[in-house]
Structures are given as structure tokens and as C-alpha cells.
Amino acid sequence: MSESQVLDVAIIGAGFAGIGAAIRLRQKGIGNFAIFERGERPGGTWRDNTYPGAACDIPSRLYSYSFAPNPDWSQTYSGSAEILGYIDSMVEEFGIGPRIRYGHTVTGVEYDEAGGLWTVAFTGRRRKVRARTVVLASGPLANASLPAIPGIETFEGHKIHSARWDHDYDFAGKRVAVVGTGASAVQIIPELVRQAGSVKVFQRTPGWVLPRVNRRTNTLTKRVYRQLPIAESLAREAWFWGHESVALGVVWNTPLTRVVESVSLLHLRSQVRDPWLRRQLTPDFRAGCKRLLMSSDYYPALQRDNCTLVTWPIASISPHGIRTAEGIEHRFDCIVFATGFDVSKAGTPIPVTGREGRVLADEWRGGAYAFKSVTVAGYPNLFLTFGPNSGPGHNSALVYMEAQIDYLTDAIGLILDRGLRSLEVRRERQDRYNVRLQKRLTATTWNSGCHSWYLTDEGFNATMYPGFGTQYTRQLAAVDLDDFVVTPGIRTPGEQRPVPAGTG
Ligand SMILES: Cc1cc2nc3c(=O)[nH]c(=O)nc-3n(C[C@H](O)[C@H](O)[C@H](O)COP(=O)(O)OP(=O)(O)OC[C@H]3O[C@@H](n4cnc5c(N)ncnc54)[C@H](O)[C@@H]3O)c2cc1C
């Protein structure tokens, strides 16, 4: 790529979304793109989360792209190494590798209205890249966050975040604390109790835990899937509809929510005999309000002789351990933080400067919003993956992501094929979309009163989509040019007339 070259598309991030977007661009015959990735290999979430027990909690057959089926998944819920292998195989099979620029941390993107181009800037590099369109695929859960506990910096033992696992640390005989009991923690704890001398689990709020039945895929099934691709897509469909039906109990508070809660309570009762421990592990909010947890070995792990559940709130971290609110200091050699990520619910992961110098982080200060989660008024030719209100609570993120990718690559195709200067969503369409969306969110379990990472501190829901996966994907099925202000001009600069609406 020469310095003066203008890319058709600059993709930021080589996780599932960035790689998926690149594949779809290629399949549409768009070749002048590059992916800028701060890491040294592709994979995003699955490159970074290598903690023991790391796995998806949506079946792999559904937690994969329909355009890149994998008949060889070894089990229902594959581990992070296998998922990373799947991403690597897509990079290889679709020839994406040469397009990825590793070690490129994007520090900001800025729209130059006069030229109709985006400028992409990088850490430690003077050279900037110009591109006609940008796909911001930097991931919702890409930046690990340590909690703001007083004294955290004074701890003299070893600190590990779940998303930055230290594989050289020897846990044998060590006193280990695990802070957090969310989706990563319930995967880590069963592995850790086998390795460490002792484990204390610090729980703020217990979650709803459902059993996870993980089966190995036998050779015959793999062979059938390989020789009869239709069988594999039917299996995927079955998983999809199974998860869609769960929305009825998870997205909204309905009689089915009670069913989900009953299954979870039954699971708790069957695995935990001690009534006091059961009480400590019983949630006090409606199922679905926070992310559902999937594990069949979490409760047994908590009851091992070398494991203790601590429910006193953490007051501070001292040089030797953790002080809880009742004044006890628990001493540790190592603290594992399974405390999640810095999620951009308000603000943006990198500075984004749009038309007339507007800054997206300023506009999103009260909470992020977009049109159908993919485009934002004032930021022409910029597309988001996993943008505001695109999170599913009950289904595979990849189904949602695939719909975003198809939509945005169609839009990019239109821009390039028709030589458009820009495509920018109409503000009134975006506002109307968001008014409806926020109204629908008020009826969901996420907005039913519990404190979760889905909401901003003020209680604004900028993360979840209030509906079925089918509704989400249907709205993205086609680019309707009526939704956009379309400015022609790259090929024929003299012609600045807006294209008549409704020609998409
Ligand atoms: C432990 C864990 C388990 C999960 N399990 C599931 C599951 O079972 N089912 C499900 O649906 N979802 C799950 N998720 C959600 C998961 O994040 C998404 O499914 C998906 O992997 C996100 O892909 P992505 O490409 O959008 O983001 P990422 O995978 O995070 O990739 C983003 C990429 O962008 C790069 N990047 C970020 N900022 C910059 C920058 N400034 N410059 C250059 N590069 C940058 C990052 O290095 C990264 O490689 C899980 C998440 C975690 C953390």
C-alpha cells in the first residue's frame, strides 16, 4: 500500500467482525481494503481470552458464520483455542492474511468533508491512511478493565486479568482469590480449584446459572456434516430457533421467565445440598436482567474443600490480600480479576471526528445510539459492527454480526459501484428508530431494575437489542436508500445533485 493510495475500505480490528467484513467484501469483488489490528495475530476476543476453561456459551455450530461452516467442531461448546483455529482457518481460506496490518493501533479517524475521505491515524506512526469508507470493528469487549478498588495498586502478590492470562504462573500450592462471578469466572473457577492450593471466590451478586450440556461430536456426525452440508445448516437452524424461543423468557419478563428461573433453581438445588450456600447463590433479580451463566461444573467447584465463597463486599486491597467490609484481611499469593471489560456505552473506543468537526464521543456522552446499530448521522461512510443496541441476550452474537456485515458491505458496494461521495443516514430516521427502540427497551428484563454492564450509570441501555434475532436481522436485510442522504460525486465531481431517494 503506497503512501498516497486511497483505500476503498479501512477496517479497524481483526476479530470475528473485522475478518467477517473482509471476507464479505472480497466475495462482493471489493479488493482495495486493509485491516488495521493493534495485536500481532487475528482473533480478538479469542486471541486474548486464553484463561483455563475459556469457551463459548453459545453452541459452536451457531457461534460461527453461516458463510464459513465448520463440520469439524469437536464439541457442542468449543474452547477458545478451537475458536481461534476457526478464525485462523477463515483468514487462510479466504486469503485475508495479506490484508491485515498487525501492530497498527488506531488512535482516531477523522472525516475530511472536502475530499469525502476518512483519515486513519496510528500510534507511533507518522503516516496516516486515507480511505473512502471505514468499518469500526474494534469489539465491544476488547479492553480489559480492572475494578476501581481502593489499594489495588498496592498488592504485592501476582495480579491476573481473565483476558490477559499469565500462562507462566504456577498456581500449585498458591492461595488464590477470584474477584467476580460472571461469565468468565464460572469457566475459570472449576479449572483453578484443580490447580491452586486454595481458592476464595469474591461474589458481589450471584447470577442465574443454567446447566451446560457439552457433548463431543463423533466422527460419524462430522462425516455427515462434511458430505451433506444441508445437514449442518439444518443443525444450525435448529440451534438458532431453540435460542430464539429462549428470548420469550429472557428478553421480556413473561411466564417463561419463571420457567428459566425454575430450571436454574432446580440446577442449584440438585448440585448444592447446603441450604446456606444455596441461599448465597440465589439471585434476587429476574433471569435475563444480567447475562445468563452457563455451567455444569461451577457449583461443584465452589463446594470443593479448597474453595470458599466470600459474600462480604470488598472494602479494599492491601499489599497482602483483600479486606472485606467486616474488617477481615484475606491473604493471597495471587488475585484473579474476572471483572470484565471497559464497554463503550457512553463515548467511543477511539476518537471519531465526523462532518463539520463533530466528535462522536461528545454526542454519545449521555449514551451511545445509532441507526440500526450500524451507522450514525453526521458520520458519512462510517460503519460500526457490534454498535449500540446490537447485543443479543439469548442468541449468538455472530448471527447479529453477520447481518451487520452484510448490510454494511452492501452499503459500501453501493458507494463504490455508483461512485458516491457519501452515504449518511438521515438524522430524523435515526431519531425515530431510537425513540421506538428505547420505548421497546422499557419492557425488557434488562431495564427491570438490576444493575448490569448493559446500562450506563444513569440507567440508559445502549447495548442490547429489544427483540428477537429474526427482527434484528430482518431490519438489516437490505439497504434502503430512503434512509440516507446520498451525495454523488467521486467519479463525476461536477455532478453534486442528491440521488433521488428510494433507488436502493
Ligand atoms: C470470554 C468471552 C466469551 C464470549 N463468549 C461468547 C459467546 O459464547 N457467544 C457470543 O455470542 N458472544 C460471546 N462473547 C462476545 C464476543 O466478544 C463476540 O462474540 C465477538 O467475539 C466479538 O468480536 P469482534 O470482532 O466484534 O470484537 P473482538 O473479538 O474484540 O475484536 C476486536 C479487535 O479489534 C482490535 N482493536 C481494538 N481497538 C483497536 C484499535 N484502536 N486499533 C487497532 N485494533 C484495535 C482488537 O485488538 C481486536 O483484535 C464472548 C466474549 C468474551 C470476552
Side-chain angles (χ1 to χ4, degrees), residues 12-17 36-38 43-47 49 51 56-58 63 104-106 137-142 184 291 341 350 386 395-397 401:
I12 301 166
F16 257 123
F36 299 101
E37 166 56 54
R38 66 184 174 191
T45 294
W46 303 102
R47 173 199 62 212
N49 287 271
Y51 57 78
C56 55
D57 49 23
I58 291 284
Y63 190 65
H104 279 67
T105 302
V106 175
S138 55
L141 308 177
S184 298
R291 188 164 163 194
F341 301 86
I350 53 167
F386 230 133
N395 218 322
S396 172
M401 217 184 266

Side-chain angles (χ1 to χ4, degrees), residues 312-364:
W312 282 98
I314 295 175
S316 62
I317 293 182
S318 65
H320 303 295
I322 294 178
R323 266 206 196 90
T324 39
E326 86 287 27
I328 291 181
E329 185 184 52
H330 305 258
R331 296 192 153 222
F332 297 110
D333 301 304
C334 173
I335 304 179
V336 171
F337 292 94
T339 45
F341 301 86
D342 194 4
V343 183
S344 297
K345 291 167 280 192
T348 49
I350 53 167
V352 178
T353 310
R355 217 166 24 76
E356 294 157 358
R358 73 193 67 216
V359 175
L360 190 53
D362 292 343
E363 302 194 47
W364 281 3

Side-chain angles (χ1 to χ4, degrees), residues 51-55 162 165 171 176-205 209 281 293-304 306-310 336-339:
Y51 57 78
S162 56
W165 201 256
F171 285 94
V176 182
V178 178
V179 179
T181 51
S184 298
V186 302
Q187 296 183 341
I188 293 170
I189 291 161
E191 299 294 327
L192 215 49
V193 293
R194 285 193 208 120
Q195 297 175 25
S198 65
V199 176
K200 282 190 182 174
V201 177
F202 290 80
Q203 170 187 277
R204 191 165 58 178
T205 329
V209 183
L281 291 170
L293 307 175
M294 307 281 294
S295 176
S296 295
D297 46 12
Y298 173 56
Y299 292 145
L302 285 180
Q303 295 166 89
R304 279 181 62 133
N306 65 342
C307 189
T308 316
L309 180 70
V310 181
V336 171
F337 292 94
T339 45

Side-chain angles (χ1 to χ4, degrees), residues 158 160 166-172 174-176 195 333-334:
H158 204 62
I160 301 178
D166 181 351
H167 290 274
D168 294 330
Y169 187 74
D170 182 8
F171 285 94
K174 301 282 174 23
R175 298 163 303 170
V176 182
Q195 297 175 25
D333 301 304
C334 173

